Amino acid sequence: MNVYITAGTLDFLQKIESKYPNERMLAMLNENGAILLHETSGQTVFNEPRRYEVLESYGDLNKEGFVVMNNISVTDEGRPLFEHQFKQLTGNVVTAQGLTALRLLRPLSSNPYIIMTVWENNALYQKWQGANSTFDALKANFNGQQKIFTSSPYINKYTIAGNS
């Protein structure tokens, strides 16, 4: 399974989403603009997307919710270790109240990895974040080992924009 991501105006992206009703696509919006995510085992309909392989998958991508994308740049040598450590911690995340989906996305042509979580709403994400240290645990697992991160991680947050 692969995920493809492209950016554009919300109206344009929702037209693409509507044109392919049998494809699993999600239009998402934040203060910086809109993106369209296409999850498929086939080819994408996007011309020049960012390309990812789905390494871990939990839940279904629905047409509503709050999306958090943790972007983590990893060295080529560190990829196997990062993927192994993340898989060990997945169980701590998927039991969270309000979590509807999770994807670990390995970049196919660039960096970073994306840990994408989809929540029923922002309030449930905030509640989990306040009481949880899964991603801190992930970082802690790498202390004292080779340097595998190439830069500081960053987060993008989106609201899924259901078709009107």
Side-chain angles (χ1 to χ4, degrees), residues 29-137:
L29 183 66
N30 70 11
E31 64 277 359
N32 297 319
I35 63 171
L36 184 59
L37 180 142
H38 181 203
E39 184 177 58
T40 181
S41 55
Q43 297 296 312
T44 187
V45 299
F46 303 157
N47 289 332
E48 296 184 27
R50 291 183 287 158
R51 301 168 186 273
Y52 299 89
E53 177 184 1
V54 177
L55 295 182
E56 289 289 311
S57 178
Y58 163 80
D60 293 323
L61 299 178
N62 298 315
K63 299 285 184 181
E64 60 185 18
F66 182 75
V67 178
V68 179
M69 293 186 176
N70 291 274
N71 298 265
I72 303 170
S73 294
V74 178
T75 65
D76 288 341
E77 299 81 21
R79 286 178 171 221
L81 180 60
F82 172 79
E83 292 170 12
H84 174 76
Q85 294 291 347
F86 181 81
K87 289 176 183 181
Q88 300 299 310
L89 295 170
T90 302
N92 294 339
V93 180
V94 298
T95 59
Q97 177 189 6
L99 181 78
T100 61
L102 176 139
R103 301 290 185 275
L104 173 59
L105 305 177
R106 175 198 288 153
L108 293 177
S109 59
S110 63
N111 233 330
Y113 279 80
I114 296 177
I115 301 170
M116 182 176 85
T117 53
V118 183
W119 302 85
E120 290 175 20
N121 56 52
N122 186 12
L124 288 170
Y125 164 71
Q126 294 294 334
K127 180 180 176 183
W128 172 80
Q129 185 182 39
N132 193 285
S133 60
T134 297
F135 295 113
D136 290 336

